[in-house]
Amino acid sequence: MVDTSSVLKSVRERIAELARLAEAGDAEAAKKLAAELTREIESALEEKPAAAPKRSAPKAPRDDVVKCPRCTLRSFTFQKGTVREMEDGSGGFEARFHCTSCGHEDWRGIG
């Protein structure tokens, strides 16, 4: 994988050189350098950065029974098979909980 900052510094220096060639009226050298820069930029754009490995979803929360936020009894129970990625895009996971006492259901962050 190519270091992007070094490529950008090189391109910046060569653009400055291209501007000097254009001011001096050396059209042939300027065209050649512009073509080289275009190829280098296209090559850099084609390279995709390595994607970070995706965290696997936990099978269950640490505590599968917690205090219910509605009735305050310790009967808010994890529902197996309901783990999903959080909707807020934070990269965390949440699971569906159901209170066996009052029937309240809600998604709760886990992990």
Side-chain angles (χ1 to χ4, degrees):
M1 186 152 130
V2 177
D3 178 29
T4 308
S5 61
S6 65
V7 170
L8 290 175
K9 286 178 185 176
S10 170
V11 169
R12 181 178 58 198
E13 291 168 359
R14 294 170 70 198
I15 287 174
E17 182 183 344
L18 180 61
R20 284 192 298 276
L21 290 172
E23 285 178 5
D26 194 354
E28 192 62 38
K31 285 180 187 178
K32 182 179 174 186
L33 184 55
E36 288 175 16
L37 284 169
T38 301
R39 281 192 301 275
E40 193 171 322
I41 290 171
E42 287 174 358
S43 172
L45 288 174
E46 287 175 3
E47 287 185 19
K48 295 182 181 176
K54 201 170 188 177
R55 283 184 15 195
S56 61
K59 292 185 179 16
R62 278 182 232 131
D63 297 320
D64 60 345
V65 178
V66 293
K67 188 175 9 173
C68 176
R70 182 173 285 167
C71 70
T72 67
L73 296 175
R74 188 171 170 79
S75 57
F76 207 41
T77 309
F78 164 68
Q79 302 298 297
K80 291 181 179 162
T82 62
V83 176
R84 69 178 185 190
E85 212 169 317
M86 291 184 113
E87 293 179 345
D88 64 4
S90 65
F93 294 94
E94 61 186 358
R96 189 105 172 132
F97 280 74
H98 173 82
C99 181
T100 56
S101 179
C102 71
H104 176 65
E105 289 189 343
D106 199 8
W107 291 94
R108 182 180 181 99
I110 61 170

